Structures are given as structure tokens and as C-alpha cells.
């Protein structure tokens, strides 16, 4: 539903009762992750354990072969543990699109896409490698997907408290639309569960309930007990075939679906909208947050054209929405995209994204916003170095809300921040609870349902209308 004010009108702000925006503080300076700087290190992913130890993975070009997967471990103080190391054993062809998940004790699993490993003519498959908390490989790299006829791409992985994990990915026919793919139409989303020892639990399974047209770009999150949620883009869902939305599906820890397809994004404010690149984070009890890029426009009564914004929506563990979609980052000119989200054990969360149109002074920049008990903090710039493009952010968080954001730094010319091509950088943050939540001591998990202000579902957004000035905190009432 649309807001009751025009796209340029600024509503009257309603005062809040003694609520303080959350505070996050950078710890140290941004730091270079990759040791090898020759050529390009790209597309980072990150995972963190309960006490703040973390691992960052990325794809590296021409370090050993063409593209391979590398990783670097860190302790909770941000000190590198050992050297960067190669993850994939099979090195023929390209190994790209890494993702990583870590359990409470620091054991982790890395998954990636490997081209050609499944045999001659193979368009690409999903592979993985398990590690203990010391970075020692557990067993050999393993093949995730069973179906090998199509492209298996864009993997994501999530892990529970004890180390059980699930991998999801996109399966697409190699020759594209209108060729039929694995789910009977075009692209579909598939998953495979594993126990903590790396043994597959059951067979790979189809996630999307609707198979017509295109489902793609999945992400997955898991709670402490192994219940999980998968989010993905769902294309051609509207009367206009250019439309797309964000869908989600819940599963219990036995792999049984506990919901149908949940439609996360709806039309709001604008005449057309397209939901893209979803990300999801889940707290210890299964409440979750979905963030996505919303390509919106033209504005009602406003200028023509498409603008990409970042939206999010919160859900309880049963999949019941606790808010409508709300603006995380919104501007009438600047495009925002590529969100990622992380959630702590009590439900506080951070959303990060990339911003273009030289908002940081030169090329793309990385920004973030923290939410404590549903109250939005100030949006802030993450990267200090601003020459070239700082983009493709990834974020991970420990149980207390401290977090790390990693990103790719890409030069405008041939020489970048790390002295050669693209490099991977990161920044640590400390979260200090403000006491703005009921009880003020973080003794109980966030009740997202209680954050709705009265039965009319009036709630408060931590973003402004068009021409958002990052650093400004506004709480705008939105009744539906």
C-alpha cells in the first residue's frame, strides 16, 4: 500500500518515548585481507562464531590458476590466524562465487561454484570443503548438487549451533530462456542438508513452490536448532513480465517445509517495483530479517526513471511478518544495491549495501545501518579509502552484536588500493547496547511483534524521504 503523502511531502514527525538510536563504533582501521595482491581478489564472503572469531573467503584471479578460492582466519581481536590458504583442491577451470558459514565453536564450511569439474561439457557445479576452528581441512572437498545437466550457480550456506548446515543454489538451463531447466521451467532454487560431520541428509530438494519462469539469487540463514529460511528472487510474478519480487520459504531442522512461499516484497509508493538480490539473517530463535534491492520508479507525481533503494522486512520464527517493508536506504538520485544482513542472538541486526553516483566522493562506496530492538541507528559509511569502487559488501555478526564488514576494492585504473588490481578489505565494529529496548538490559530476545506501534501497524522507519542525507536519523510513521 502507498503512503498517504506525496513523494515530495515531508510528514509531521511523531515524538518517540525515550528511545536512543543504537551506537556502533569502528574498531581500528580498515585492513587488507588478502596477502597476495597480484591481479584481482574479489567477491568476499564472511562468517563469524559466537565469540567474534571470523573467516573471510574470496575468489582470486591468476594466483595459482585462473580463479581459485582463498580464505583467511581471524581471532576476535582482528588478528590474522596463520596465513591465507587455498580452499579448493580441484584447480582446473574456474572456482568462483564463494560462500561461508561458521558454527558456534568456529568450525566452518566453504562452498563455491566450480566450472568443468563434473565432467566434459559441464556448465558448473557446487562444491564444498569443511574446516575445524583451527583451519584444518576436515575430509576432502565434496560435490553438493546431484543434478548436473544445468548450470548450478550462486551458492549460499548456513550453519546451526552444533555445525549442521544447508547449502542452497540456483539451477539454470545453460542455453537460457526459453529452454526448460531442472524445475520444469527456467531457473529454480535447490538445497541440500548436511549433518555436522558433512554427511548429506536426504536428497537435494526443490525450494521454490512456484516453478513458472525464473527463480534465482538465493540466500539462506539458520537458527541455533537448525531451522532455516531460504529467500530468492521470483521473476514474472506480476501482470507486467518485467516485475519481480522476493519470496521466502521456511524449513524445520529435519528439512521439512513449514511454510509455503512467503511473498516478502509488495508494491509500495511507486507505480512499478522490482525486488532483487535478497539477503537474509536469522537470530538464535528463528526470527529473521530479509533485505533486498528495490528497483523503483517512476515516482507517483515525480520524475521518470528507475532508482535502486534498499528495503527490509522482519518476520517471527513462524514466518509472520512483524513489519511492512521499510526503507533502509533511499534517495531520489543515488542508487543503492547489493545488500547483506546479519542478526545477533537477540534480534538486533545490521544491513550493509553499496552506493553509487560517487556518494563517498569517488565511485561506489559501502554503507551500513544498525537496528537495535527495531530502532534504526545512523546510516554510516564503512570504507575509509574512497578512490575507485568499494563494493560487494558482506557482513557477519557475533552473539552480542559486534560485527565485521568485508568488501571488494576495485581501482578505476590498473593500480588499486592493495597496489595491483582488486583487493579485499574489511572493518570491525563494536556494538554498545543503548538501553533503548524494553527492559534495557538485553536479557530477552527482541519481540518484533511488540515493536509495531498499536494495532494499526504504525511503525517507525530509520530513513528519510528522497534526498536522504546519510548520517541523519529520522523515524517516520507509516500507517497501513
Amino acid at each position: 500500500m502507498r503512503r498517504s503523502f506525496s513523494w515530495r511531502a515531508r510528514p509531521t514527525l511523531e515524538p518517540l518515548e525515550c528511545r536512543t538510536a543504537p551506537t556502533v563504533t569502528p574498531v581500528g582501521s580498515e585492513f587488507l585481507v588478502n596477502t597476495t595482491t597480484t591481479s584481482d581478489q574479489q567477491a568476499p564472503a564472511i562468517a563469524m562464531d559466537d565469540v567474534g572469531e571470523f573467516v573471510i573467503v574470496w575468489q582470486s584471479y591468476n594466483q595459482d590458476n585462473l580463479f581459485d578460492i582463498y580464505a583467511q582466519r581471524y581471532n576476535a581481536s582482528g588478528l590474522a590466524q596463520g596465513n591465507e590458504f587455498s580452499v579448493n583442491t580441484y584447480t582446473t577451470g574456474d572456482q568462483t562465487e564463494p560462500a561461508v558459514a561458521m558454527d558456534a565453536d568456529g568450525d566452518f564450511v566453504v562452498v563455491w561454484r566450480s566450472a568443468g569439474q563434473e565432467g566434459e561439457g559441464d556448465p558448473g557445479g557446487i562444491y564444498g570443503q569443511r574446516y575445524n576452528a583451527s583451519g584444518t581441512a576436515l575430509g576432502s572437498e565434496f560435490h553438493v548438487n546431484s543434478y548436473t545437466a544445468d548450470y548450478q550457480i550462486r551458492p549460499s550456506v548456513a550453519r546451526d549451533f552444533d555445525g549442521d548446515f544447508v547449502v542452497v543454489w540456483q539451477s539454470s538451463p545453460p542455453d537460457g530462456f526459453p529452454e526448460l531447466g531442472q524445475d520444469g521451467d527456467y531457473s529454480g532454487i535447490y538445497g541440500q542438508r548436511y549433518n555436522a560431520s558433512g554427511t548429506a541428509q536426504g536428497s537435494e530438494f526443490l525450494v521454490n513452490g512456484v516453478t513458472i519462469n525464473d527463480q534465482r539469487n538465493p540466500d539462506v540463514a539458520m537458527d541455533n536448532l537448525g531451522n532455516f529460511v531460504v529467500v530468492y528472487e521470483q521473476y514474472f510474478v506480476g501482470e507486467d513480465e518485467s516485475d519481480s519480487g522476493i519470496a521466502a520459504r521456511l524449513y524445520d531442522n529435519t528439512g521439512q517445509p513449514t511454510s509455503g512461499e512467503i511473498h516478502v516484497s509488495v508494491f509500495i509508493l511507486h507505480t512499478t517495483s522490482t525486488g532483487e538480490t535478497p539477503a537474509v539473517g536469522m537470530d538464535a530463535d528463528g526470527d529473521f530479517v530479509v533485505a533486498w534491492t528495490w528497483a523503483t520508479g517512476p515516482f507517483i507525481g515525480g520524475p521518470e526513471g528507475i532508482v535502486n533503494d534498499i528495503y527490509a522486512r522482519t518476520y517471527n520464527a513462524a514466518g509472520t511478518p512483524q513489519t511492512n517493508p521499510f526503507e533502509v536506504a533511499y534517495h531520489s538520485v543515488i542508487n543503492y544495491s547489493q545488500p547483506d544482513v546479519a542478526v545477533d542472538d537477540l534480534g538486533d541486526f545490521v544491513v550493509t549495501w553499496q552506493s553509487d553516483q560517487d556518494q563517498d566522493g569517488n565511485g561506489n562506496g559501502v554503507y551500513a545501518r544498525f537496528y537495535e530492538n527495531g530502532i534504526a541507528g545512523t546510516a554510516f559509511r564503512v570504507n575509509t579509502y574512497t578512490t575507485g569502487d568499494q563494493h560487494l559488501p558482506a557482513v557477519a555478526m557475533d552473539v552480542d552484536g559486534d560485527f565485521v564488514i568485508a568488501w571488494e576494492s576495485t581501482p578505476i585504473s590498473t593500480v588499486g588500493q592493495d597496489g595491483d588490481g582488486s583487493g579485499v578489505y574489511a572493518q570491525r565494529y563494536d556494538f554498545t547496547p543503548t538501553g533503548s529496548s524494553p527492559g534495557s538490559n538485553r536479557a530477552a530476545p527482541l519481540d518484533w511483534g511488540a515493536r509495531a506501534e498499536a494495532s494499526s501497524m504504525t511503525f517507525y522507519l530509520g530513513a528519510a524521504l528522497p534526498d536522504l542525507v546519510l548520517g541523519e536519523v529520522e523515524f517516520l510513521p507509516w500507517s497501513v
Side-chain angles (χ1 to χ4, degrees):
M1 297 181 68
R2 300 189 182 104
R3 296 185 180 182
S4 59
F5 44 83
S6 69
W7 79 281
R8 276 294 184 187
R10 181 172 296 278
T12 301
L13 299 183
E14 296 183 6
L16 301 181
E17 68 281 3
C18 299
R19 298 181 187 173
T20 304
T23 301
V24 294
T25 306
V27 180
S29 302
E30 68 182 34
F31 56 93
L32 176 65
V33 175
N34 51 287
T35 303
T36 299
T37 59
T38 302
S39 196
D40 294 321
Q41 286 70 47
Q42 304 169 320
I46 185 170
M48 182 175 283
D49 68 13
D50 277 6
V51 298
E53 298 172 333
F54 59 99
V55 62
I56 299 175
V57 300
W58 65 92
Q59 63 187 41
S60 184
Y61 180 66
N62 268 346
Q63 185 166 344
D64 288 317
N65 298 282
L66 292 177
F67 280 103
D68 290 295
I69 308 303
Y70 282 80
Q72 176 66 65
R73 297 166 44 248
Y74 294 86
N75 66 15
S77 298
L79 299 177
Q81 303 298 286
N83 299 319
E84 70 178 26
F85 57 93
S86 177
V87 174
N88 53 288
T89 305
Y90 181 88
T91 58
T92 303
D94 289 338
Q95 284 69 48
T96 56
E97 302 176 8
V100 62
M102 183 175 276
D103 67 18
D105 295 328
D107 303 321
F108 60 99
V109 59
V110 185
V111 297
W112 64 92
R113 179 196 179 196
S114 181
Q117 190 168 350
E118 292 175 340
E120 185 177 353
D122 160 44
I126 307 302
Y127 288 79
Q129 176 66 62
R130 296 164 48 243
Y131 292 87
N132 66 17
S134 299
T136 302
L138 300 174
S140 303
E141 71 178 29
F142 56 94
H143 191 188
V144 176
N145 56 288
S146 301
Y147 183 85
T148 60
D150 293 344
Y151 283 112
Q152 317 301 320
I153 59 178
R154 297 170 181 165
S156 180
V157 61
R159 203 162 198 183
D160 69 13
F161 186 90
D162 293 324
D164 306 310
F165 61 97
V166 62
V167 184
V168 299
W169 65 93
Q170 174 185 323
S171 178
S172 298
D175 294 330
F177 186 83
E179 183 179 346
L180 299 183
Q182 184 177 355
D183 72 353
D185 206 288
Y186 187 36
S187 297
I189 308 301
Y190 285 81
Q192 176 65 62
R193 296 168 50 247
Y194 293 85
N195 65 18
S197 299
T199 302
Q201 304 297 288
S203 303
E204 71 178 33
F205 56 93
L206 176 65
V207 174
N208 48 288
V210 174
T211 58
I212 188 171
N213 294 311
D214 193 11
Q215 281 65 228
R216 61 188 189 184
N217 286 334
D219 195 23
V220 63
M222 183 174 275
D223 70 13
N224 278 355
L225 297 179
N227 306 302
F228 61 96
V229 60
V230 185
V231 297
Y232 46 95
E233 297 173 15
Q234 194 169 61
Y235 271 72
F236 310 146
V237 297
E239 295 180 2
D240 180 352
E241 290 196 349
S242 67
D243 292 341
S244 68
I246 305 302
R249 198 164 192 191
L250 286 166
Y251 291 82
D252 66 20
N253 58 11
T254 69
Q256 295 301 307
T258 57
S259 75
E261 285 192 328
I262 300 168
H263 297 289
V264 177
S265 61
V266 295
F267 293 103
I268 292 182
L269 185 62
H270 308 289
T271 58
T272 61
S273 62
T274 302
E276 300 172 346
T277 59
V280 64
M282 182 173 271
D283 71 13
D285 296 325
D287 304 312
F288 62 98
V289 182
V290 184
W292 68 95
T293 304
W294 211 334
T296 51
F299 295 110
I300 298 171
E304 297 293 325
I306 300 298
V307 177
N308 291 337
D309 309 312
I310 304 301
Y311 276 72
R313 196 174 193 181
T314 61
Y315 290 81
N316 66 17
T320 303
Q322 303 301 287
T323 61
N324 284 304
F326 58 90
E327 298 161 351
V328 176
Y330 178 60
H331 199 285
S332 58
V333 176
I334 294 174
N335 283 310
Y336 304 123
S337 61
Q338 300 296 329
D340 197 17
V341 60
V343 185
D344 71 12
D345 268 12
L346 297 184
D348 301 316
F349 61 95
V350 63
V351 182
T352 184
W353 64 90
Q354 72 181 45
S355 171
D356 66 9
Q357 272 92 13
D358 296 340
Q359 185 170 1
D360 71 353
N362 192 288
N364 294 340
V366 175
Y367 291 80
R369 190 188 290 274
F370 194 95
Y371 293 78
E372 181 190 6
N373 200 52
I375 303 301
T378 302
F380 57 93
R381 191 179 77 204
V382 176
N383 55 289
T384 304
Y385 181 87
T386 60
T387 302
D389 289 332
Q390 321 305 315
H391 58 162
L392 300 179
V395 62
M397 181 178 281
D398 67 16
V399 296
D400 293 324
D402 301 325
F403 60 97
V404 179
I405 297 176
W407 65 92
E408 177 184 328
S409 178
T410 301
I412 295 176
S413 60
T414 57
V415 179
Q417 184 176 357
D418 69 358
D420 203 288
S422 297
V424 175
Y425 285 79
Q427 175 67 63
R428 298 165 54 231
Y429 288 89
D430 178 69
F431 164 56
T432 302
T434 63
S436 63
S437 59
S440 71
N441 59 4
R442 290 172 56 83
L446 167 63
D447 179 2
W448 278 325
R451 303 316 304 150
E453 304 294 323
S455 60
S456 65
M457 284 296 290
T458 298
F459 62 101
Y460 293 86
L461 309 179
L465 283 171
D467 305 322
L468 166 68
V469 178
L470 289 177
E472 177 182 63
V473 181
E474 292 183 287
F475 300 92
L476 305 182
W478 184 6
S479 298
V480 296

